[in-house]
Amino acid sequence: MHFTEGSPITDQRVPDGPIESRWDRRRFSARLVNPANRRNRSVIVVGTGLAGGSAAATLGELGYRVTSFCYQDSPRRAHSIAAQGGINAAKNYRNDGDSVHRLFHDTVKGGDFRSRESNVHRLAQVSTAIIDQCVAQGVPFAREYGGLLDTRSFGGAQVSRTFYARGQTGQQLLLGAYQAMERQVAAGRVEVHPRTEMLDLVVVDGRARGVVVRSLVTGEVSTHFADAVVLATGGYGNVFHLSTNAKGCNATAIWRAHRRGALFANPCFTQIHPTCIPVSGEHQSKLTLMSESLRNDGRVWVPRDPHDRRAPNDVPEDARDYFLERMYPSFGNLVPRDIASRAAKNTSDEKRGVYLDFADAIGRLGRGVVEQRYGNLFEMYRRITGDDPYRSPMRIYPAVHYTMGGLWVDYDLRSNIPGLYVIGEANFSDHGANRLGASALMQGLADGYFVLPGVIGDYLADAPFEPVEGRREVADTESEVRGRLTTLLAVDGRRTAESFHRELGRLMWDECGMERDGAGLRKALERIPELREEFWHDVKVPGGRDFNQELEKAGRVADFFELAELMCVDALHRAESCGGHFRTESQTPDGEALRDDANFAHVAAWEWTGVGTPPVLHKEHLVFEHVTPSTRSYS
């Protein structure tokens, strides 16, 4: 048996009553901390992306004492900067039928009915305030000729609700959050520690009271304390080795919190993005995303004959299969990512890839308009591949992009460990089994600017708590961190951490990637413990305790082994197909995902029990009162 089942879990903080007023009623019922007392309350925020940066800035603005950590050399280099296409908001500037309720409906449906209605409705409500906040900060959103903010369409929606800044939306939003945070740094309310990695969570008397970190420059291990800890450390897509994530993105912060008792929810829900530059060889360490926004004007096709080896411009129209337009006529090229990715995989392979063609758009709109909308993305593609997408189609193929799973949190974004909050992609809360495009930036900023600051006072009203410096739990936690580093350096084996990571990633892509089946998952669950054992006996970590990137990498790969095993256990347990989790045994006659609402309409929240010991599954039953679960149809 790969797991045992424990008691069910429930969200105790979500209000009942009309869904439209739940967030307002929760904010009113949450206790407050008066401005004078906030100066005596401390919060640690780990991560400086859109969620972490906006949270640190807002909490500092409220008057709390904030300590911020990031492993990058500057907070503004967080991976949020790589987001390209846009951010959703239900402003309905186009007067095309959008509304808060429609955004809520599209998000629940897009997540294949595996998300909480209350959380998703709050996200849709808050989305409108995000745009106002960012415009006030000076974020240079694209504008129409008359000066109004422009929007474009994204997958899974038939309205135009995505605000954007060419192909640099994440960068511009992050700079807005960064400047807001730096204002608080100058005011003395936020203290930033760059090039510092969290290696463990300090839990004393059942509360999260601090973090153990390591300076990536000096190697010094130190412990920092606060009344509450906020994790905003992003997702874990790099467990697959090749993904669109920056090479430094990792799961260590949330995984070490999981080992300290935080439940990990829905780890098998992984998003495969359909428009990535294909793998080009064994030399690659990451993949590059081509924004979903390109599917607004680009048409996706493959040669009708799978053996057709002609150059794309030599393939005539009658020999092309515009398969998304053929299979899903209502949404066409803008179907959700999970559906587009599976369709692309089923019509092509990694070697041939799929074409994203702009010839029609250039002929219809002119090169100047296309260049204005997507110029920097086209230039990125040209520099990486050597091909000019203005002259020939882009070649794309699905790749790992975003993870919908993460640490379990309640309506207040609080984990099951009191005092530990988890925001942005690091938690599981808003996207269900599939995230709609342009919703990641929306969730990160909603959590950081509005949701977390609105509820954290309810917990901090009981602070300040008893001092914990000198407690045995603190010394033990720091000792464990040092011991782990010592062990990694002492192995002195023959293989690099990178080689182990590459092998693990290939195994995960083959057996727990875009498609999974019971036999493959069991195969992975046999091989992962063997590979983990080999790692701890044969990894080679050169250098010492000071500046040592190989030591950083080895620690992260060690965590990926344990996470990968849990992902496969979760995927094996969930004997249905939904969103980004596609079990080949559970599909309709025409190859679409087949959900099992009777047995799997729940959040799978996993409890850590130790290496090699079956985890404990706690189920949170999902209730749908406003969006009726149905077969997702985009035809």
Side-chain angles (χ1 to χ4, degrees):
M1 188 65 177
H2 295 291
F3 68 91
T4 60
E5 188 164 340
S7 57
I9 187 171
T10 58
D11 182 357
Q12 299 290 335
R13 291 187 174 81
V14 59
D16 54 13
I19 196 170
E20 296 82 4
S21 61
R22 286 178 187 174
W23 174 229
D24 289 335
R25 284 185 286 114
R26 176 60 191 133
R27 284 191 298 168
F28 181 74
S29 65
R31 293 173 297 168
L32 302 177
V33 181
N34 78 58
N37 286 343
R38 289 178 206 150
R39 294 192 292 270
N40 301 318
R41 306 293 192 268
S42 56
V43 182
I44 286 172
V45 180
V46 184
T48 59
L50 287 181
S54 59
T58 308
L59 294 175
E61 185 77 37
L62 288 171
Y64 294 109
R65 292 187 291 110
V66 180
T67 307
S68 170
F69 295 93
C70 67
Y71 63 74
Q72 296 91 350
D73 56 0
S74 166
R76 67 180 182 273
R77 290 177 64 86
H79 188 57
S80 297
I81 205 168
Q84 300 166 345
I87 177 171
N88 288 331
K91 300 288 269 186
N92 195 29
Y93 285 168
R94 290 288 184 92
N95 196 29
D96 56 1
D98 201 11
S99 64
V100 167
H101 186 79
R102 189 175 296 278
L103 175 54
F104 158 66
H105 180 279
D106 288 348
T107 304
V108 174
K109 177 185 175 183
D112 216 351
F113 306 96
R114 290 295 177 261
S115 54
R116 293 178 181 150
E117 285 191 333
S118 296
N119 289 67
V120 176
H121 195 279
R122 176 177 64 188
L123 179 64
Q125 283 179 266
V126 170
S127 70
T128 59
I130 295 172
I131 303 303
D132 297 338
Q133 169 89 2
C134 294
V135 169
Q137 289 176 337
V139 172
F141 286 121
R143 293 179 181 269
E144 297 177 332
Y145 180 77
L148 299 177
L149 294 182
D150 195 14
T151 56
R152 55 191 178 196
S153 299
F154 255 65
Q158 291 183 305
V159 296
S160 182
R161 64 163 65 102
T162 304
F163 296 78
Y164 65 99
R166 295 189 73 193
Q168 305 169 342
T169 313
Q171 177 180 359
Q172 299 302 328
L173 292 172
L174 184 63
L175 289 174
Y178 173 70
Q179 69 182 7
M181 186 174 74
E182 284 299 301
R183 179 172 178 268
Q184 298 307 311
V185 171
R189 289 188 283 266
V190 175
E191 180 182 294
V192 180
H193 296 265
R195 301 303 303 274
T196 306
E197 184 170 28
M198 173 184 161
L199 294 184
D200 218 329
L201 178 72
V202 175
V203 180
V204 181
D205 295 332
R207 295 181 187 270
R209 294 301 310 277
V211 294
V212 179
V213 301
R214 175 177 176 269
S215 167
L216 301 184
V217 177
T218 67
E220 178 188 0
V221 173
S222 58
T223 304
H224 301 256
F225 303 103
D227 295 313
V229 176
V230 178
L231 299 185
T233 51
Y236 49 90
N238 273 350
V239 70
F240 292 89
H241 185 261
L242 288 180
S243 79
T244 64
N245 287 213
K247 190 63 178 170
C249 294
N250 63 87
T252 288
I254 56 174
W255 189 253
R256 303 291 173 86
H258 175 56
R259 289 172 61 109
R260 292 292 170 192
L263 298 178
F264 207 115
N266 298 338
C268 77
F269 286 166
T270 305
Q271 180 167 89
I272 311 298
H273 200 295
T275 55
C276 299
I277 298 178
V279 177
S280 59
E282 286 293 313
H283 64 282
Q284 276 185 284
S285 62
K286 75 174 300 294
L287 299 175
T288 302
L289 172 70
M290 287 287 103
S291 170
E292 182 173 308
S293 63
L294 293 170
R295 287 196 276 146
N296 270 279
D297 292 305
R299 301 180 70 193
V300 179
W301 63 273
V302 293
R304 291 189 183 278
D305 179 0
H307 303 292
D308 192 333
R309 293 294 183 265
R310 286 177 289 184
N313 285 339
D314 294 334
V315 179
E317 278 292 313
D318 60 2
R320 299 180 179 189
D321 179 12
Y322 293 91
F323 58 92
L324 292 180
E325 299 172 25
R326 170 175 56 82
M327 297 167 66
Y328 309 102
S330 292
F331 283 73
N333 294 299
L334 288 173
V335 292
R337 292 172 179 178
D338 59 319
I339 291 175
S341 293
R342 283 197 302 275
K345 180 180 185 296
N346 291 336
T347 54
S348 188
D349 56 51
E350 288 183 73
K351 291 183 179 179
R352 291 191 302 130
V354 178
Y355 293 114
L356 182 60
D357 198 331
F358 287 85
D360 181 72
I362 292 172
R364 174 168 45 88
L365 302 171
R367 173 169 172 157
V369 173
V370 173
E371 191 167 359
Q372 183 180 20
R373 292 177 180 177
Y374 312 112
N376 59 314
L377 297 172
F378 277 43
E379 178 63 17
M380 183 194 310
Y381 182 89
R382 187 191 64 78
R383 291 190 181 192
I384 292 172
T385 66
D387 294 331
D388 183 356
Y390 291 107
R391 297 178 180 274
S392 62
M394 292 182 177
R395 197 165 69 88
I396 58 172
Y397 195 74
V400 172
H401 179 56
Y402 187 94
T403 48
M404 284 73 66
L407 292 187
W408 183 91
V409 293
D410 63 17
Y411 190 70
D412 284 3
L413 305 180
R414 196 188 303 196
S415 77
N416 59 298
I417 299 178
L420 177 63
Y421 290 79
V422 191
I423 63 177
E425 192 180 354
N427 74 32
F428 87 100
S429 65
D430 290 2
H431 305 297
N434 172 65
R435 176 178 67 79
L436 291 183
S439 288
L441 307 187
M442 177 174 61
Q443 186 209 351
L445 292 181
D447 286 356
Y449 280 137
F450 301 106
V451 181
L452 179 73
V455 293
I456 197 171
D458 193 57
Y459 179 78
L460 293 176
D462 293 328
F465 303 109
E466 291 293 322
V468 295
E469 293 90 334
R471 292 285 294 270
R472 191 184 73 178
E473 296 96 321
V474 176
D476 289 348
T477 303
E478 189 169 319
S479 178
E480 287 181 34
V481 169
R482 295 181 187 275
R484 189 180 181 92
L485 297 172
T486 298
T487 300
L488 286 169
L489 289 167
V491 174
D492 198 26
R494 297 165 297 175
R495 291 184 60 181
T496 64
E498 177 72 8
S499 73
F500 279 106
H501 192 188
R502 188 180 295 275
E503 184 173 349
L504 174 67
R506 187 74 242 185
L507 177 68
M508 290 295 289
W509 176 252
D510 289 343
E511 311 301 349
C512 195
M514 204 180 326
E515 292 185 354
R516 303 97 184 260
D517 60 41
L521 291 167
R522 291 185 183 92
K523 174 184 173 183
L525 286 169
E526 289 178 4
R527 179 55 182 150
I528 291 171
E530 296 173 351
L531 195 58
R532 182 177 63 229
E533 189 73 12
E534 293 173 26
F535 172 87
W536 284 105
H537 284 89
D538 202 26
V539 70
K540 176 73 173 181
V541 182
R545 288 180 170 274
D546 53 1
F547 182 84
N548 188 341
Q549 291 183 303
E550 287 302 307
L551 181 57
E552 298 170 32
K553 186 184 300 181
R556 296 166 184 171
V557 173
D559 294 327
F560 279 141
F561 278 122
E562 296 173 3
L563 171 58
E565 189 170 12
L566 182 62
M567 291 172 68
C568 292
V569 169
D570 188 41
L572 187 61
H573 139 264
R574 192 171 284 277
E576 65 161 353
S577 292
C578 58
H581 168 67
F582 190 82
R583 288 284 295 266
T584 57
E585 308 97 326
S586 184
Q587 56 182 305
T588 63
D590 55 354
E592 299 292 349
L594 183 62
R595 291 196 325 272
D596 181 354
D597 293 337
N599 294 301
F600 294 101
H602 62 252
V603 175
W606 297 92
E607 177 186 347
W608 170 262
T609 55
V611 176
T613 305
V616 178
L617 170 62
H618 301 274
K619 297 178 180 178
E620 178 195 338
H621 181 63
L622 293 170
V623 178
F624 296 94
E625 302 172 310
H626 301 84
V627 183
T628 303
S630 58
T631 300
R632 271 199 312 168
S633 173
Y634 293 94
S635 299

